[in-house]
Amino acid sequence: TNLSGTDFSRSTLPGASFIELNMSQVNFEKAELAGSQFINCKLDGSNFSGAHLDESSWIESNLDGANFADSLMTNTRFPGGTSLRGASFVRAMLDTANLRETELERADFSDASLNMSDFGDARAEQAVFARSMAKAAQFIGTDLGGADLSGMNMMEGSLMKARLTRATLVNANCYGVEFMSATVGDTNFSGTNLEDTKLEKWSPGR
């Protein structure tokens, strides 16, 4: 079925399954989709702003340029193979979400809630996490080259083995964050709280 451009705004489809569908530019604004599954779907440019997507799953789907602004996505799963390049998660609720090994280049998580979420081994070059709340979030092995983490609160999270070259952490709260084996270079730590970290006494850019 080709659902490209279809308007599902404000629809109620909890637990629905969408499998191998062309859904480019589809509109799910403010839809009820808790527990839904999207498997091998083409969803580039789709609109999920303000949608209820708690515990939804997105498997090997193309979501490049998708809009999830203000959506509720607690415990959402994006297994490896899903592409979210340039997607917007501004002000979205993504606590305990799994975004391991996802493609997140230039994605925008500004002002989002990311507490205890897992971004391990994701490719997030030039992604934006400005002012996001990400306590205990895991960025183990994540490529954050050129990313904007300014004002981010990731207290007691992990950046172990993460790539932080040219990243900006201006005024970020990194209290107790694990930096073991992280790669830094031209990284801006100006005003960053590095208390109780391995970088506490080594803070270039202050």
Side-chain angles (χ1 to χ4, degrees), residues 89-170:
F89 293 90
V90 175
R91 297 180 302 277
M93 176 70 70
L94 280 156
D95 292 346
T96 67
N98 183 353
L99 294 101
R100 289 186 60 82
E101 300 180 0
T102 52
E103 302 289 336
L104 295 170
E105 292 94 333
R106 302 179 306 284
D108 190 351
F109 294 89
S110 299
D111 301 297
S113 184
L114 310 170
N115 297 311
M116 294 184 289
S117 288
D118 189 352
F119 289 82
D121 294 314
R123 294 192 59 179
E125 298 100 316
Q126 300 180 52
V128 179
F129 294 89
R131 301 173 305 281
S132 60
M133 183 66 67
K135 293 181 179 179
Q138 304 295 302
F139 289 84
I140 299 172
T142 308
D143 190 341
L144 291 162
D148 182 2
L149 311 175
S150 57
M152 183 181 187
N153 185 353
M154 57 185 315
M155 183 174 67
E156 297 182 344
S158 179
L159 286 164
M160 181 185 293
K161 298 182 180 179
R163 177 174 173 258
L164 296 167
T165 52
R166 299 184 306 283
T168 299
L169 289 88
V170 174

Side-chain angles (χ1 to χ4, degrees), residues 8 40 97:
F8 288 99
N40 197 20

